[in-house]
Amino acid sequence: MGFEAIDVWSGHAGCPHLDDVQKRLGPGGLRELLEKHRLKLYAFSVYAGGYRKYAELLGKAGGGVAVRGSAGPCPPNELSSQMKKFMEALKPEAELAEKYDSYLAIENHAHALLDSIDSFKAFVDANRHARVGIALAPYHLQARQASVEQAIAVAGKQLLFFYAWQHATGVGQLPGVGPADFTPWIAALARAQYRWYVNPFMHGEPEPETMSKLLIRSRNYLSECYTKAVELAGS
């Protein structure tokens, strides 16, 4: 399908790929499998199980980004203090990331500590961990009518993971399938000097043949957006 790298998920929707890697393949087996298919390891998504469970595996597989959620929501007037507490609580995981040459990316989500543009600002201000940053999900920002471009700009160099994912139903969540124009988002990533991967994403499980065709469509669409974004930047 033309992709460069993958994100391996732990136990989500009854499909525990990451646990299969840990129990059966191991880090060496994962590296061999990726080399066979000319893919790089980008990330482990560890919403189920947590980062600590998979930190050593990620490091021994070559290192990468581990994606997880933040914490429960709080009143706006407590945002700064609660974000500081969250960052303090992340210290052991940040130390693991350093030990295993990896990074920890915290995803914004509805009804969570990291959710609004203000929470992005609080995160960036409170974060003192070199190995910790943001996994940005436009789907959840659009759901609260927040600007994706503004969120990218606020995250800046702390942006470690970008879901190419829009707020829509079914396969319309995918770039190039649903209605959102991703060109301004790609241009915002370029302005922020984002150096990681862009990840076409959706929740749901279409049949493999259908999903493969849609992912190819999404990848080609994102390439077109990138070309347009470069042209706009030069004009």
Side-chain angles (χ1 to χ4, degrees):
M1 292 187 285
F3 287 95
E4 296 179 16
I6 63 167
D7 167 29
V8 187
W9 278 59
S10 62
H12 179 79
C15 196
H17 289 142
L18 190 47
D19 286 334
D20 181 53
V21 172
Q22 191 168 57
K23 296 173 182 177
R24 183 175 61 86
L25 290 176
L30 177 59
R31 286 196 304 269
E32 290 176 6
L33 186 63
L34 293 175
E35 288 171 4
K36 176 182 176 182
H37 295 285
R38 300 186 300 280
L39 287 167
K40 297 175 183 176
L41 173 63
Y42 175 31
F44 283 178
S45 284
V46 294
Y47 297 103
Y51 172 56
R52 299 184 194 199
K53 180 178 178 181
Y54 305 104
E56 184 175 0
L57 175 64
L58 180 57
K60 289 184 176 179
V65 177
V67 185
R68 53 155 285 180
S70 58
C74 70
N77 64 328
E78 296 179 13
L79 183 56
S80 180
S81 61
Q82 290 300 316
M83 191 65 75
K84 288 177 181 177
K85 289 180 181 179
F86 174 69
M87 287 298 175
E88 290 170 3
L90 276 183
K91 185 178 178 181
E93 293 187 34
E95 291 173 347
L96 276 179
E98 183 72 39
K99 179 179 179 180
Y100 293 113
D101 191 22
S102 299
Y103 295 85
L104 196 61
I106 312 302
E107 186 220 5
N108 62 291
H109 202 281
H111 310 298
L113 180 63
L114 186 62
D115 183 10
S116 64
I117 297 294
D118 284 342
S119 70
F120 273 64
K121 293 176 181 176
F123 183 104
V124 170
D125 289 344
N127 184 15
R128 298 294 181 268
H129 304 302
R131 295 275 179 165
V132 175
I134 291 172
L136 194 152
Y139 179 100
H140 297 300
L141 290 167
Q142 287 184 302
R144 59 179 295 123
Q145 298 183 325
S147 167
V148 176
E149 296 98 305
Q150 185 181 2
I152 291 170
V154 170
K157 295 293 181 64
Q158 294 191 31
L159 184 58
L160 303 179
F161 192 105
F162 184 79
Y163 289 97
W165 180 28
Q166 62 186 297
H167 190 262
T169 58
V171 299
Q173 298 168 69
L174 289 169
V177 181
D181 181 4
F182 280 62
T183 303
W185 302 354
I186 300 298
L189 290 175
R191 288 193 296 271
Q193 297 182 334
Y194 179 70
R195 63 186 181 89
W196 304 82
Y197 292 96
V198 171
N199 306 266
F201 184 82
M202 65 168 284
H203 277 309
E205 295 79 38
E207 291 297 318
E209 183 178 353
T210 299
M211 192 67 188
S212 296
K213 290 179 180 178
L214 289 170
L215 284 174
I216 292 170
R217 177 177 169 182
S218 291
R219 181 194 175 279
N220 292 340
Y221 169 76
L222 289 169
S223 294
E224 292 170 2
C225 290
Y226 176 75
T227 300
K228 291 178 183 177
V230 170
E231 290 174 352
L232 289 173
S235 61

